[in-house]
Amino acid sequence: MGECVFCKIASGEIPAKLLYQDDEFVAFADINPQAPVHLLVIPRTHYANIVEAQKADASLGGRMLSVVTRLAEEQGLSGQGFRVVCNTGNNGGQTVGHLHFHVLGGRFMSWPPG
Ligand code: 5GP
Ligand code: ZN
């Protein structure tokens, strides 16, 4: 996956503001934040989206959500609330083809999305 920007962030080839990393996952600040806190959590392994990831590793999403909730608590989001988003495919508005969970918080967010 030589041209994947998130693979390059995971490997350190492209810099990012890293907030968490372990053997499996990396979390970093979104380059174009849509809220006071806007993080992305990715697996180091390249999966195009959540469907491909879950086919390959059925418990991956749960482990990713453990990282998400840990970060939300660390960032002080769990009291006021926050949003976890996994845009998938064209209709889902996915622009980077490497699975990622957005974690957004620090302001009220309306619903439904546009
Ligand atoms: P998507 O639209 O696929 O759900 O989300 C992709 C996200 O990745 C966007 O919020 C975008 O701002 C972020 N992003 C794209 N390229 C980079 C980058 O090089 N560095 C960082 N930190 N975020 C990026
Ligand atoms: Zn990738």
Side-chain angles (χ1 to χ4, degrees), residues 28-84:
F28 52 94
D30 195 293
I31 204 168
N32 183 23
Q34 302 301 311
V37 177
H38 187 174
L39 319 177
L40 300 171
V41 179
I42 66 169
R44 290 185 183 275
T45 301
H46 180 96
Y47 298 111
N49 57 46
I50 189 70
V51 177
E52 295 307 313
Q54 291 297 120
K55 281 180 187 167
D57 181 349
S59 60
L60 182 90
R63 300 197 301 280
M64 274 182 84
L65 285 172
S66 294
V67 176
V68 164
T69 51
R70 171 186 173 147
L71 281 162
E73 292 209 299
E74 280 177 13
Q75 299 284 323
L77 303 179
S78 51
Q80 292 290 313
F82 61 96
R83 187 169 290 179
V84 182

Coordinates of all heavy atoms in Angstrom, one line a residue, residues 28-84:
F28 N -4.0 9.9 15.9 CA -3.3 11.2 15.6 C -4.4 12.2 15.4 O -5.5 11.9 15.1 CB -2.4 11.0 14.4 CG -3.0 10.4 13.2 CD1 -3.5 11.2 12.2 CD2 -3.0 9.1 13.0 CE1 -4.1 10.7 11.1 CE2 -3.6 8.5 11.9 CZ -4.1 9.3 10.9
A29 N -3.9 13.5 15.5 CA -4.8 14.6 15.2 C -5.2 14.7 13.7 O -4.2 14.6 12.9 CB -4.2 15.9 15.7
D30 N -6.4 15.0 13.4 CA -6.8 15.2 12.0 C -6.2 16.5 11.6 O -6.2 17.5 12.3 CB -8.4 15.3 11.9 CG -8.8 15.2 10.5 OD1 -8.6 16.1 9.7 OD2 -9.5 14.1 10.2
I31 N -5.7 16.5 10.3 CA -5.0 17.7 9.8 C -6.0 18.8 9.5 O -5.6 20.0 9.4 CB -4.3 17.3 8.5 CG1 -3.1 18.2 8.2 CG2 -5.2 17.2 7.3 CD1 -2.2 17.7 7.1
N32 N -7.3 18.5 9.4 CA -8.3 19.6 9.1 C -9.4 19.4 10.1 O -10.5 18.9 9.8 CB -8.8 19.4 7.7 CG -9.8 20.4 7.3 OD1 -9.9 21.5 7.8 ND2 -10.6 20.1 6.3
P33 N -9.2 19.8 11.4 CA -10.1 19.5 12.5 C -11.5 20.1 12.3 O -11.6 21.3 12.0 CB -9.4 20.0 13.7 CG -8.4 20.9 13.2 CD -8.0 20.5 11.9
Q34 N -12.5 19.3 12.6 CA -13.9 19.8 12.5 C -14.5 20.0 13.8 O -15.7 20.4 13.9 CB -14.7 18.7 11.7 CG -14.2 18.5 10.3 CD -14.2 19.7 9.4 OE1 -15.1 20.4 9.3 NE2 -13.0 20.0 8.8
A35 N -13.7 19.9 14.9 CA -14.2 20.2 16.2 C -12.9 20.5 17.1 O -11.8 20.2 16.6 CB -14.9 18.9 16.7
P36 N -13.1 21.0 18.3 CA -11.9 21.3 19.1 C -11.1 20.1 19.3 O -9.8 20.2 19.4 CB -12.6 21.8 20.4 CG -13.9 22.5 20.0 CD -14.4 21.6 18.9
V37 N -11.7 18.9 19.5 CA -10.9 17.7 19.5 C -11.3 16.9 18.2 O -12.5 16.6 18.0 CB -11.1 16.9 20.7 CG1 -10.4 15.5 20.7 CG2 -10.8 17.7 22.0
H38 N -10.4 16.5 17.4 CA -10.7 15.7 16.2 C -9.5 14.8 16.0 O -8.5 15.2 15.5 CB -11.0 16.6 15.0 CG -11.4 15.8 13.8 ND1 -11.9 16.4 12.6 CD2 -11.6 14.5 13.6 CE1 -12.2 15.5 11.7 NE2 -12.0 14.3 12.3
L39 N -9.7 13.5 16.4 CA -8.7 12.5 16.3 C -9.1 11.5 15.3 O -10.2 11.3 15.0 CB -8.5 11.8 17.6 CG -8.5 12.7 18.9 CD1 -8.4 11.7 20.1 CD2 -7.4 13.7 18.9
L40 N -8.1 10.8 14.8 CA -8.3 9.6 13.9 C -7.6 8.4 14.6 O -6.4 8.5 15.0 CB -7.7 9.9 12.5 CG -8.3 11.1 11.8 CD1 -7.5 11.3 10.5 CD2 -9.8 10.8 11.5
V41 N -8.3 7.3 14.6 CA -7.7 6.0 15.1 C -7.6 5.1 13.9 O -8.7 4.9 13.3 CB -8.5 5.5 16.2 CG1 -7.9 4.1 16.7 CG2 -8.6 6.4 17.4
I42 N -6.5 4.5 13.7 CA -6.3 3.6 12.5 C -5.6 2.4 13.0 O -4.8 2.4 13.9 CB -5.5 4.3 11.4 CG1 -4.0 4.6 11.8 CG2 -6.1 5.6 10.9 CD1 -3.1 4.9 10.6
P43 N -5.9 1.2 12.3 CA -5.0 0.1 12.5 C -3.7 0.2 11.7 O -3.7 0.9 10.6 CB -5.9 -1.1 11.9 CG -6.7 -0.4 10.9 CD -6.9 1.0 11.3
R44 N -2.6 -0.3 12.1 CA -1.4 -0.3 11.3 C -1.6 -1.1 10.1 O -1.0 -0.7 9.0 CB -0.2 -0.8 12.2 CG 0.2 0.1 13.3 CD 1.4 -0.5 14.0 NE 1.8 0.3 15.2 CZ 2.5 1.4 15.1 NH1 3.0 1.9 13.9 NH2 2.8 2.1 16.2
T45 N -2.3 -2.1 10.1 CA -2.6 -2.9 8.9 C -3.5 -2.2 8.0 O -4.5 -1.6 8.5 CB -3.2 -4.3 9.3 OG1 -2.4 -5.0 10.2 CG2 -3.5 -5.2 8.1
H46 N -3.2 -2.2 6.7 CA -4.0 -1.5 5.7 C -5.3 -2.3 5.4 O -5.2 -3.4 4.9 CB -3.3 -1.2 4.4 CG -4.1 -0.5 3.4 ND1 -4.1 0.9 3.3 CD2 -5.0 -1.0 2.5 CE1 -4.9 1.2 2.3 NE2 -5.5 0.1 1.9
Y47 N -6.5 -1.8 5.8 CA -7.8 -2.3 5.3 C -8.5 -1.1 4.7 O -8.4 0.0 5.2 CB -8.6 -2.8 6.5 CG -8.0 -3.9 7.3 CD1 -7.6 -3.7 8.6 CD2 -7.9 -5.2 6.7 CE1 -7.1 -4.8 9.3 CE2 -7.4 -6.3 7.5 CZ -7.0 -6.1 8.7 OH -6.4 -7.1 9.5
A48 N -9.1 -1.4 3.5 CA -9.7 -0.3 2.8 C -10.9 0.4 3.6 O -11.1 1.6 3.5 CB -10.3 -0.8 1.5
N49 N -11.6 -0.4 4.4 CA -12.7 0.1 5.1 C -13.1 -0.9 6.2 O -12.5 -2.0 6.3 CB -13.9 0.4 4.2 CG -14.3 -0.8 3.4 OD1 -14.4 -1.9 3.9 ND2 -14.4 -0.6 2.0
I50 N -14.2 -0.6 6.9 CA -14.6 -1.4 8.1 C -15.1 -2.8 7.6 O -14.9 -3.8 8.3 CB -15.6 -0.7 8.9 CG1 -15.9 -1.4 10.2 CG2 -16.9 -0.5 8.2 CD1 -14.8 -1.4 11.2
V51 N -15.7 -2.8 6.4 CA -16.2 -4.1 5.9 C -15.0 -5.1 5.6 O -15.0 -6.2 6.1 CB -17.0 -3.9 4.6 CG1 -17.5 -5.2 4.1 CG2 -18.2 -3.0 4.9
E52 N -14.0 -4.6 4.9 CA -12.9 -5.4 4.6 C -12.1 -5.8 5.9 O -11.7 -6.9 6.1 CB -11.9 -4.7 3.7 CG -12.5 -4.4 2.3 CD -13.0 -5.6 1.6 OE1 -12.3 -6.7 1.6 OE2 -14.2 -5.6 1.1
A53 N -12.1 -4.9 6.9 CA -11.4 -5.2 8.1 C -12.1 -6.3 8.9 O -11.4 -7.2 9.4 CB -11.3 -3.9 8.9
Q54 N -13.4 -6.2 9.0 CA -14.1 -7.1 9.8 C -14.1 -8.5 9.2 O -14.2 -9.5 9.9 CB -15.5 -6.6 10.1 CG -15.6 -5.4 11.0 CD -15.1 -5.7 12.4 OE1 -14.1 -5.1 12.8 NE2 -15.7 -6.7 13.1
K55 N -14.1 -8.5 7.8 CA -14.0 -9.8 7.1 C -12.7 -10.5 7.5 O -12.6 -11.7 7.6 CB -14.1 -9.6 5.6 CG -15.5 -9.4 5.1 CD -15.5 -9.3 3.6 CE -16.8 -8.9 3.0 NZ -16.7 -8.4 1.6
A56 N -11.6 -9.7 7.6 CA -10.3 -10.3 7.8 C -10.1 -10.6 9.3 O -9.3 -11.5 9.6 CB -9.2 -9.3 7.3
D57 N -10.7 -9.8 10.2 CA -10.4 -9.8 11.6 C -11.7 -9.4 12.4 O -11.8 -8.2 12.6 CB -9.2 -8.9 11.9 CG -8.8 -8.9 13.3 OD1 -9.5 -9.5 14.2 OD2 -7.7 -8.4 13.6
A58 N -12.5 -10.3 12.7 CA -13.8 -10.0 13.2 C -13.9 -9.2 14.5 O -14.9 -8.6 14.9 CB -14.7 -11.3 13.3
S59 N -12.8 -9.3 15.3 CA -12.8 -8.6 16.6 C -12.0 -7.3 16.5 O -11.8 -6.6 17.5 CB -12.3 -9.5 17.7 OG -10.9 -9.9 17.4
L60 N -11.5 -6.9 15.3 CA -10.7 -5.7 15.2 C -11.5 -4.4 15.6 O -10.9 -3.6 16.4 CB -10.3 -5.5 13.7 CG -9.4 -4.3 13.5 CD1 -7.9 -4.6 13.7 CD2 -9.6 -3.6 12.2
G61 N -12.7 -4.3 15.2 CA -13.5 -3.1 15.6 C -13.6 -2.9 17.1 O -13.5 -1.8 17.6
G62 N -13.8 -4.0 17.8 CA -13.9 -3.9 19.2 C -12.6 -3.4 19.8 O -12.6 -2.6 20.8
R63 N -11.5 -3.9 19.3 CA -10.2 -3.5 19.9 C -9.9 -2.0 19.5 O -9.4 -1.2 20.3 CB -9.0 -4.3 19.3 CG -9.2 -5.8 19.7 CD -7.9 -6.6 19.6 NE -7.3 -6.6 18.3 CZ -7.8 -7.4 17.3 NH1 -8.8 -8.2 17.4 NH2 -7.2 -7.4 16.1
M64 N -10.4 -1.6 18.3 CA -10.2 -0.2 18.0 C -11.1 0.7 18.9 O -10.7 1.8 19.3 CB -10.7 0.1 16.5 CG -9.6 -0.1 15.5 SD -10.2 0.2 13.8 CE -10.0 2.0 13.7
L65 N -12.3 0.2 19.2 CA -13.1 1.0 20.1 C -12.6 1.1 21.5 O -12.8 2.1 22.2 CB -14.6 0.4 20.1 CG -15.4 0.7 18.8 CD1 -16.7 0.0 18.9 CD2 -15.6 2.2 18.7
S66 N -11.8 0.2 21.9 CA -11.1 0.3 23.2 C -10.1 1.5 23.1 O -10.0 2.2 24.1 CB -10.3 -1.0 23.5 OG -11.2 -2.0 23.8
V67 N -9.4 1.6 22.0 CA -8.5 2.8 21.9 C -9.3 4.1 21.8 O -8.9 5.1 22.4 CB -7.6 2.6 20.6 CG1 -6.8 3.8 20.4 CG2 -6.8 1.3 20.7
V68 N -10.4 4.1 21.1 CA -11.3 5.2 21.0 C -11.7 5.7 22.3 O -11.6 6.9 22.7 CB -12.5 4.9 20.1 CG1 -13.6 6.0 20.2 CG2 -12.0 4.8 18.6
T69 N -12.2 4.8 23.1 CA -12.8 5.2 24.4 C -11.7 5.6 25.4 O -11.9 6.6 26.2 CB -13.7 4.1 25.0 OG1 -13.0 2.9 25.0 CG2 -14.9 3.9 24.2
R70 N -10.6 5.0 25.3 CA -9.5 5.4 26.2 C -9.0 6.8 25.8 O -8.8 7.6 26.7 CB -8.3 4.4 25.9 CG -7.0 4.8 26.5 CD -5.9 3.8 26.1 NE -4.6 4.3 26.6 CZ -3.6 3.5 26.9 NH1 -3.8 2.2 26.9 NH2 -2.5 4.0 27.3
L71 N -8.9 7.1 24.5 CA -8.5 8.5 24.1 C -9.6 9.5 24.5 O -9.3 10.6 24.9 CB -8.3 8.5 22.6 CG -6.9 7.9 22.2 CD1 -7.0 7.6 20.7 CD2 -5.8 9.0 22.5
A72 N -10.9 9.1 24.3 CA -12.0 10.0 24.7 C -11.9 10.4 26.1 O -12.0 11.6 26.5 CB -13.3 9.4 24.3
E73 N -11.6 9.4 27.0 CA -11.5 9.7 28.4 C -10.2 10.6 28.7 O -10.3 11.6 29.4 CB -11.4 8.4 29.2 CG -12.7 7.7 29.2 CD -12.9 6.9 30.4 OE1 -12.1 5.9 30.6 OE2 -13.9 7.1 31.1
E74 N -9.1 10.3 28.0 CA -7.9 11.0 28.2 C -8.0 12.5 27.8 O -7.4 13.4 28.3 CB -6.7 10.4 27.4 CG -6.1 9.2 28.1 CD -5.0 8.6 27.2 OE1 -4.6 9.2 26.2 OE2 -4.6 7.4 27.5
Q75 N -8.8 12.7 26.7 CA -9.0 14.0 26.2 C -10.2 14.8 26.9 O -10.5 15.9 26.5 CB -9.4 13.9 24.7 CG -8.3 13.3 23.8 CD -7.1 14.2 23.5 OE1 -7.3 15.4 23.4 NE2 -5.9 13.7 23.5
G76 N -10.7 14.1 27.9 CA -11.8 14.8 28.7 C -13.1 14.9 28.0 O -13.9 15.8 28.3
L77 N -13.4 14.0 27.1 CA -14.6 14.0 26.3 C -15.8 13.2 26.9 O -16.9 13.4 26.5 CB -14.4 13.5 24.8 CG -13.3 14.3 24.1 CD1 -13.1 13.6 22.7 CD2 -13.6 15.7 23.9
S78 N -15.5 12.3 27.8 CA -16.5 11.3 28.1 C -17.6 12.0 28.9 O -18.8 11.5 28.9 CB -15.9 10.1 28.8 OG -15.1 10.6 29.9
G79 N -17.4 13.1 29.6 CA -18.4 13.7 30.4 C -19.5 14.4 29.5 O -20.7 14.2 29.6
Q80 N -19.0 15.3 28.7 CA -19.9 16.1 27.9 C -20.4 15.3 26.6 O -21.4 15.7 26.0 CB -19.2 17.4 27.4 CG -18.9 18.4 28.5 CD -20.2 19.0 29.0 OE1 -21.0 19.5 28.3 NE2 -20.3 19.0 30.4
G81 N -19.6 14.3 26.3 CA -20.0 13.5 25.1 C -19.1 13.8 23.9 O -18.4 14.8 23.8
F82 N -19.2 12.9 23.0 CA -18.4 13.0 21.8 C -19.0 12.1 20.7 O -20.0 11.5 20.9 CB -16.9 12.5 22.1 CG -16.8 11.1 22.6 CD1 -16.5 10.1 21.7 CD2 -17.0 10.8 23.9 CE1 -16.4 8.8 22.1 CE2 -17.0 9.5 24.4 CZ -16.6 8.5 23.5
R83 N -18.4 12.1 19.5 CA -18.9 11.3 18.4 C -17.8 10.5 17.8 O -16.7 11.0 17.6 CB -19.5 12.3 17.3 CG -20.3 11.6 16.2 CD -21.1 12.5 15.4 NE -22.2 13.1 16.1 CZ -23.1 13.9 15.5 NH1 -22.9 14.3 14.3 NH2 -24.1 14.4 16.2
V84 N -18.2 9.3 17.5 CA -17.3 8.3 16.7 C -17.9 8.1 15.4 O -19.1 7.8 15.3 CB -17.1 7.0 17.5 CG1 -16.2 6.1 16.7 CG2 -16.7 7.2 18.9

